[in-house]
Amino acid sequence: MSYNIFPNENSIYKSEFEPVKLIETLKENTLIGSLSSTAYMTNKAFIGIIENDNFKIISSSNRISMLCVFEGRLGSEGKQVTLVKKFHPAFRNLFVFWVGAMLSLFIFFPGKANQTSTILMFLALVFLLRYLLITFIYRKSEEEGIEKLITILKLTEIE
């Protein structure tokens, strides 16, 4: 089993709807816009992009729900949906940039007596923040979004 810093999980679901009805239902419940348009207030369940048999959406319910991006593709068998759940790329890039910036400050800050222990403590803080971010906030966002998808699209998980 490989370890990823940020989650990226695949799942396969089966819908009660025909493919056309599935895309129609998703379009009715999605504010069409980019995934960066999370500041919009909407009564729709999702924000994202829907194209033919592919979609990329985030939940629109609260501020933390934007951390999980759902990328879906209708399967060749019609009612099958392949769903990829992953950490939002913008927040992943911000986290990596923050780590790099802070680490460079610790390394190049003049006059530090014990840089090794400072860097080790900082790395421990980074891993703690990553653990808390993924374990609590991302997982809550994922559960909330998948619950909405299952309810709206009448999905049942395969496997």
Side-chain angles (χ1 to χ4, degrees), residues 6 8 11 17 25 37 41 44 50-52 63 80 87 91 93 100 106 109 117 131-132 144:
F6 298 105
N8 188 354
S11 302
F17 297 138
T25 305
S37 54
M41 295 299 291
K44 306 272 187 168
I50 302 168
E51 300 171 341
N52 300 331
R63 297 289 178 211
Q80 199 172 32
F87 199 76
F91 295 105
N93 295 341
F106 283 123
F109 193 72
S117 64
Y131 174 77
L132 293 174
E144 184 178 292

Side-chain angles (χ1 to χ4, degrees), residues 6-65:
F6 298 105
N8 188 354
E9 303 166 19
N10 295 325
S11 302
I12 300 174
Y13 292 88
K14 185 173 182 164
S15 178
E16 294 177 10
F17 297 138
E18 294 297 322
V20 174
K21 175 72 173 159
L22 187 109
I23 292 296
E24 244 177 56
T25 305
L26 195 57
K27 282 183 179 179
E28 289 171 6
N29 291 289
T30 303
L31 173 67
I32 303 301
S34 70
L35 295 179
S36 63
S37 54
T38 56
Y40 291 122
M41 295 299 291
T42 180
N43 59 354
K44 306 272 187 168
F46 303 105
I47 299 172
I49 302 165
I50 302 168
E51 300 171 341
N52 300 331
D53 59 351
N54 297 324
F55 59 90
K56 187 184 277 191
I57 57 176
I58 58 175
S59 180
S60 68
S61 59
N62 60 34
R63 297 289 178 211
I64 64 166
S65 62

Side-chain angles (χ1 to χ4, degrees), residues 96-114:
V96 169
F97 178 75
W98 176 80
V99 168
M102 295 304 290
L103 191 58
S104 67
L105 278 176
F106 283 123
I107 291 173
F108 298 113
F109 193 72
K112 280 291 199 177
N114 196 354

